[in-house]
Structures are given as C-alpha cells and as structure tokens.
Amino acid sequence: MRFDETALSDDILDALEAMRFDECTPIQEQSIPHILAGRDLIAVAQTGTGKTAAYLLPVIDLIADGPESKAPACIVMSPTRELAQQIDRQMEGFSYYINVTSVAIYGGTDGATFAAQQRGLKNGADVVIATPGRLIAHLQMGYVDLSKVKYFILDEADRMLDMGFYDDIMQIATKLPKERQTLMFSATMPPRIQQLAKAILKPDAAEVKIAVSRPTEAIEQSAYVCYEGQKTPLVQHLLKTVASNRVIIFASSKLNVKDLTRTLVKSGIKAAEIHSDLDQERRDEVMLGFRANHIDVLVATDILARGIDIDDIAMVINYEVPREAEDYVHRIGRTARAGQGGKAVTLVGPAEQPKFGQIERFLRYEVRKNDMPEHLGEAPSYDPSRRVPSGTGRSGGHRGGKQGHRGPGEGRRQGGGQRKGAPSHDKRQPRSQASAADPAAATKAATRDASAHKPRRHQQRNRPRRPKEGDNRKAAD
C-alpha cells in the first residue's frame, strides 16, 4: 500500500513526499488504520520495520485535527536516550508542514539541557518523547500537566521491561486520563509484555503481529566455532581483515564489554565501549566519535541492538551467541542498511553450540563455518545437537590486559560457567594447544581433570564458600 492510499492528511503526505517515503511497510499498513480509528493497539515487529512512523504519522494527524492546548496530547515512552533523540528527529520531519510540536526528555544532561526540557514541558509541547525515569523526575517537580493526554505510546516495550521500567511505566500510566488511546510497540511478545498489555490496554485492543523476518541477503553471515580463550585473539584477527573501520562488537555482559575494549585499546585499536554503566554524556561522546570516524570499533551490549540507526557499518561481530534468534536478527541488522552490504560474524563457544543451532533452525539454513586461522590453533568440532554438560552455564568472557589467548576452557566465569583455570567439564576439550596436538596427552589430561574435579566438588558441597573479590560485581546488562 502507498501512503497516499491511506487516510492520512495532505500535509502529512507532503512531508512524506519530501522525505521520499512512498510505500508503507507491513507494520505501517496494518497499524495506521487501527490508530486512526481510535483503537488501542499492540503491535509486534522487529527493529527496522518502520514502527516509529507507524505510530507517529497517524498520531500527529489526529493531534493536528484536535483542539489546541498547552498541555501535552501525547506521551511516547522510550527505553534509552538515544532512541528518544531518534524519535524526536523523525517527529520533526513528519510534522514539517503541520503545527505539532515535540520535546525530548531524557537523563544524563547538564543544567542547561534540563532547563530547556523544563521550558518545553511548561510551554506545552504537543508530543513528549521521554525515558521513564526522567519523566517521573519532572512530574515530581509539579509543572507537568498530563490531564489532556489522549495518546500513550510505548516504543520498544520489551526492552523497557528488560531494563526494569515496569513500575515506572505503571506509575506514569496511573497519572494519565482513563479515556485515552494506548499503543504498545514491541520487537517480541514475552509473557511480561502480555501482562503489561492486559494492565494498560483496553480489552478490545487490536493486535498486529509481523513475523520476524530473516536477515537480508545483503548480510554475509558466517561463524567461527572456537574455544572461549580463542575469542579475543580471533576478534583482533577479524579487525585486521575489515576494509572499513566501522565495526560493532556485541557482547552479552557489561563485564565482557569492558574487558574486551581494554584489550583492543592496548593492542592499538581505536575502540570504545558503550553500555548502561556509562552516563549519558559519555554515551553521547562515544556515539558522536563513532559517527565521525574518530572511533573505529564500538564494543556494546544490546543497548545498541535496537532502535539505533547508524549507516556504513562494515561488520557486526557477536562475541557470544545471542540468547534468542530475534536478538541475533536485531544485532546483525545493524549492518547492510540502506541497500548496502555488510558482514556478520558470530563466535560460537563449545557450550553455545546448541543455542546457535536454534538460531540456524530459525533461519532455516546453516550459517557458513569459517576455518580457524592457523596461528590460533585447532577448533572444537561443531555439533549443535549435543547436550551441554550440567554446570557449564553461559560462555565465559575474557579478562583484558594480556595479549594472546588463554588455553581452551580458561575464560572468565560468567553466570553458572566455570571459574578461571578450572578444569573443563567437556572431556573432549584439550587444556592447551600442546595437548590439542597430542591426542594421548589430551586423553590423559581429561582423565586427570575428571578424577580430580568430581571428588573436590563433593567435598565442598556443605562447606561455606569464602567470598572472593568481585563476587558482587554485576555482570549482566
């Protein structure tokens, strides 16, 4: 369907023509009629399918037809500052020919920016685009009038719940008029999203679900099956092969992001980390430096996997296998944008093989496996159907500061994984490159590990554990 076939006003269509938007995406085609009809809506579609335009276009049109007011008519909730800024930029384009105003409200700002946000709220912006915590901070100061809100929109709702914003969302929802239109847009539909939808949407809410599509063919996908200790030197090897300097590396924990970034910087690579531990000012500096090509490599948690549009990304590297197939699609979708090509490489540790097998089943094809570079030694065999031994947990990370790689099985402990230097639970996995080259030595080492590890585990079962430094350090993002 073309936009001029929808019921959007001529002013909206003029703005879309100026922006060279002609045809609706599936999420836009199915969502816009429900929103213009005044129905509550829950819409599920992956990042990059046009969800922002799906709700902004009809809501801007409806606000323009309504009475003027100094109080906000629409609240758009965003999980991150970066996404709030991006929504605000799109809002400016869509409303170019319409007298509908907006203000972006987010944390991590200086006094001048906070004062500008105050003025925007007091002067009566029609659309307020906000992160939950910062909007609550303004609400507590008593100058935000939510009595006229007609449209309450949650963008990336699943991401907001992952970040712990459920209570904040409910607190804001209770301050809004009951007679409002509520729209929820999400990339996934876990049980918590269903619970939230039931709490804030009307019973007759419409539902639009666009199946998660397979990655575009413009992305050249491949994987390396490797030991945990080989991952960091493998990343360093891959970075030497990329013609462009724009690379994003995704890791599943802030701890791994920090350690990997430190190692890359020490090896002379212009890398920077981005995760939720950084304040907003520092995150802005990193993003600005990356966009300006002052930073070659971004090492990030999934904070960058959704809702961030960065052009010319040459390669995406998954340092660990993502938890879900949808997360894999979101991550690698940062490359090959705007009709360009790109590469996506995933590093698959021994314990991650079943997860990667699930991703391949979702994709309905097998991702090409690359040969390990000779200087990094042998790689484990790939068998995604094998059962992971109990207690291996997630894949281990890498502790920065030393060049080269540890022997297989000597990564940092993460979650239920093995401790640094602990014997491997996989008897087929050699302890070092020397044992990998000598089958007899490998068998002897594996036997020694198994016999030494099991009795020690039983002996310590009822023994109080001595706390170690860093036990309370939060690993998950």
Side-chain angles (χ1 to χ4, degrees):
M1 176 185 291
R2 295 176 54 87
F3 282 110
D4 55 17
E5 296 176 311
T6 67
L8 295 171
S9 68
D10 290 341
D11 289 334
I12 291 285
L13 295 177
D14 288 342
L16 290 172
E17 183 179 358
M19 298 171 72
R20 298 182 180 179
F21 287 3
D22 297 321
E23 294 187 358
C24 302
T25 65
I27 188 66
Q28 294 161 2
E29 180 178 344
Q30 296 186 42
S31 298
I32 289 174
H34 290 303
I35 297 173
L36 290 176
R39 296 189 65 184
D40 282 10
L41 172 69
I42 180 167
V44 181
Q46 71 189 75
T47 297
T49 54
K51 293 197 297 291
T52 304
Y55 63 75
L56 278 185
L57 292 173
V59 166
I60 292 171
D61 213 350
L62 292 168
I63 292 174
D65 289 340
E68 293 187 7
S69 173
K70 287 188 175 182
C74 173
I75 302 293
V76 180
M77 304 304 305
S78 162
T80 65
R81 170 181 182 165
E82 291 83 5
L83 183 55
Q85 291 172 324
Q86 183 169 304
I87 295 170
D88 193 38
R89 287 194 295 268
Q90 289 191 263
M91 173 75 194
E92 291 176 0
F94 294 147
S95 61
Y96 188 81
Y97 297 104
I98 296 179
N99 186 24
V100 175
T101 59
S102 66
V103 61
I105 306 296
Y106 43 78
T109 60
D110 55 21
T113 305
F114 187 86
Q117 294 178 1
Q118 283 182 315
R119 289 193 298 272
L121 291 168
K122 291 179 179 179
N123 291 339
D126 297 305
V127 179
V128 174
I129 305 158
T131 54
R134 182 45 56 103
L135 181 57
I136 288 176
H138 283 283
L139 285 170
Q140 292 173 341
M141 302 180 88
Y143 49 77
V144 182
D145 181 8
L146 300 182
S147 64
K148 306 297 183 183
V149 171
K150 294 183 178 181
Y151 312 100
F152 184 42
I153 304 170
L154 277 66
D155 196 355
E156 298 288 359
D158 53 348
R159 181 67 175 149
M160 281 194 278
L161 296 191
D162 287 342
M163 296 173 69
F165 287 135
Y166 181 87
D167 291 340
D168 290 345
I169 292 170
M170 294 306 299
Q171 181 178 342
I172 293 168
T174 58
K175 298 181 182 298
L176 301 177
K178 292 185 178 180
E179 291 302 317
R180 66 174 190 269
Q181 187 175 0
T182 303
L183 312 173
M184 282 181 57
F185 285 77
S186 180
T188 59
M189 182 67 85
R192 289 181 301 168
I193 288 293
Q194 299 177 25
Q195 177 186 356
L196 179 60
K198 186 176 181 180
I200 66 174
L201 268 64
K202 296 174 183 175
D204 63 344
E207 182 174 333
V208 171
K209 188 171 183 179
I210 307 297
V212 177
S213 62
R214 274 61 182 174
T216 172
E217 293 182 0
I219 302 176
E220 181 185 330
Q221 302 177 61
S222 65
Y224 284 90
V225 180
C226 57
Y227 295 113
E228 295 299 332
Q230 295 171 317
K231 284 188 174 182
T232 296
L234 185 51
V235 166
Q236 293 170 316
H237 170 79
L238 288 171
L239 294 179
K240 294 177 182 178
T241 67
V242 184
S244 170
N245 294 330
R246 298 173 71 81
V247 177
I248 297 179
I249 303 174
F250 285 109
S252 298
S253 74
K254 291 179 286 188
L255 184 61
N256 285 349
V257 166
K258 295 174 183 178
D259 287 349
L260 180 58
T261 305
R262 184 162 51 246
T263 300
L264 295 179
V265 170
K266 286 184 177 180
S267 67
I269 296 170
K270 291 190 291 185
E273 62 193 62
I274 187 163
H275 47 76
S276 59
D277 275 357
L278 301 182
D279 60 38
Q280 292 292 349
E281 182 177 0
R282 176 56 184 159
R283 282 159 64 177
D284 281 348
E285 290 176 359
V286 171
M287 293 301 299
L288 182 61
F290 188 63
R291 292 180 190 275
N293 291 321
H294 298 149
I295 296 170
D296 295 337
V297 179
L298 272 185
V299 187
T301 55
D302 282 318
I303 195 171
L304 276 188
R306 301 187 190 179
I308 303 300
D309 192 5
I310 305 173
D311 294 332
D312 304 325
I313 302 300
M315 178 182 287
V316 170
I317 300 175
N318 290 312
Y319 189 75
E320 294 114 352
V321 175
R323 290 175 297 178
E324 305 290 343
E326 289 86 351
D327 294 330
Y328 177 83
V329 174
H330 292 314
R331 286 186 180 187
I332 71 172
R334 298 308 96 197
T335 188
R337 300 177 76 85
Q340 299 179 346
K343 295 182 178 181
V345 181
T346 302
L347 310 187
V348 185
E352 298 172 302
Q353 293 186 15
K355 281 196 298 183
F356 197 67
Q358 292 176 353
I359 290 173
E360 290 182 314
R361 287 191 289 275
F362 170 81
L363 298 175
R364 297 179 185 173
Y365 55 79
E366 184 176 341
V367 175
R368 187 185 79 246
K369 309 303 184 300
N370 298 318
D371 294 331
M372 182 69 69
E374 291 185 4
H375 70 281
L376 296 182
E378 297 182 8
S381 59
Y382 182 62
D383 182 8
S385 63
R386 72 171 182 150
R387 186 174 180 179
V388 179
S390 175
T392 56
R394 299 180 188 173
S395 61
H398 170 80
R399 187 172 185 83
K402 294 182 180 180
Q403 298 303 315
H405 70 278
R406 294 191 180 95
E410 294 181 3
R412 175 187 291 274
R413 186 191 187 205
Q414 177 183 341
Q418 59 197 46
R419 286 192 176 90
K420 174 183 174 182
S424 169
H425 288 271
D426 188 347
K427 296 180 182 181
R428 293 174 293 179
Q429 178 174 319
R431 290 175 59 86
S432 65
Q433 295 305 317
S435 62
D438 185 349
T443 303
K444 183 177 180 181
T447 305
R448 181 181 65 248
D449 290 347
S451 61
H453 182 59
K454 186 173 181 179
R456 184 163 60 249
R457 182 179 61 190
H458 284 280
Q459 290 167 6
Q460 294 180 352
R461 178 174 295 176
N462 298 319
R463 183 181 300 175
R465 177 176 175 268
R466 184 194 307 175
K468 293 187 177 181
E469 182 180 357
D471 273 0
N472 292 326
R473 187 174 183 180
K474 186 177 180 181
D477 186 57

